[in-house]
Amino acid sequence: QGKFTLLRDTRTDGSFLVHHFLSFYLRAGCKVCFVALLQSFSHYNIVAQKLGVNLAAAKERGQLVFLEGLKSCLDLLFGEEEQPGQPSPLQFLSTSDLRALFDFVRVSLTPADRDSWKGPVLLVDDLSVLLSLGAAPVAVLDFIHYCRVSVCCQLKGNIVVLVHSNEDSEDEENELVVNSLCHHSDLILWAEGLATGFCKDVHGQIKIIKRLSLRQAAEQDVVQIYQYKIQDRNVTFFARGLSAAVL
């Protein structure tokens, strides 16, 4: 409880981690607020069904609060409101801050009297889209800071955020946000594409960084590196050099 997990991908697609955490927390009985800025609800629902989770049913019973970012952007830009009289969570498209998005998260995860969920979880896929939509890096970092205070500290919940990064990129704003989040994360799962290129038996490697130094200044971070292969319904992990292509 109270943990901030950063999902980072470089030269590959780390969305399989998002699908894992979404299905994991729903099966665990947690209340999930999913800020989906990258794909539609139907996309996530199809993948979740392969993992044994029904997102539509989770929405109906109030366990899942789903913000479909792409649709909300279009509704806001073309002047259509899903619920007239209520401000859109993506008001930052016409203003300078992400306060409306934070209020959406806070209200969604604040437990009601009749709620029996085990704990609140904020899941964001992916944070880099906010920068592409015109949000300033400082506003994005402020949004995450306030979410950490509200969800992690006050509600004793968890936050999982995906960001794209490219060490050779000229997108300084995105790299600023990524590096700042790395310094504040309790756990970093960094998916990277293979430097040698495509391989049918190894789709990439994942670096697991446990930020012990965040809690105790004298401690060293624990780093573990595995390679992985994405299959239809799961992901296989193995030590480097032990894939089917080698053995």
Side-chain angles (χ1 to χ4, degrees), residues 9-64:
D9 61 18
T10 304
R11 302 189 309 275
T12 191
D13 183 7
S15 59
F16 69 94
L17 295 169
V18 174
H19 297 299
H20 160 74
F21 278 102
L22 177 59
S23 60
F24 170 79
Y25 281 120
L26 289 176
R27 280 198 296 263
C30 298
K31 177 70 175 287
V32 178
C33 176
F34 188 12
V35 179
L37 302 171
L38 204 59
Q39 301 285 354
S40 65
F41 176 79
S42 60
H43 169 82
Y44 294 106
N45 192 33
I46 290 171
V47 178
Q49 286 178 347
K50 291 184 177 181
L51 301 177
V53 177
N54 190 324
L55 298 190
K59 282 181 65 177
E60 289 180 5
R61 62 176 177 263
Q63 184 184 9
L64 173 65

Side-chain angles (χ1 to χ4, degrees), residues 188-207:
I188 302 172
L189 302 180
W190 188 352
E192 299 177 281
L194 296 176
T196 53
F198 173 78
C199 175
K200 68 175 183 177
D201 292 306
V202 184
H203 291 155
Q205 75 172 20
I206 185 167
K207 187 182 297 183

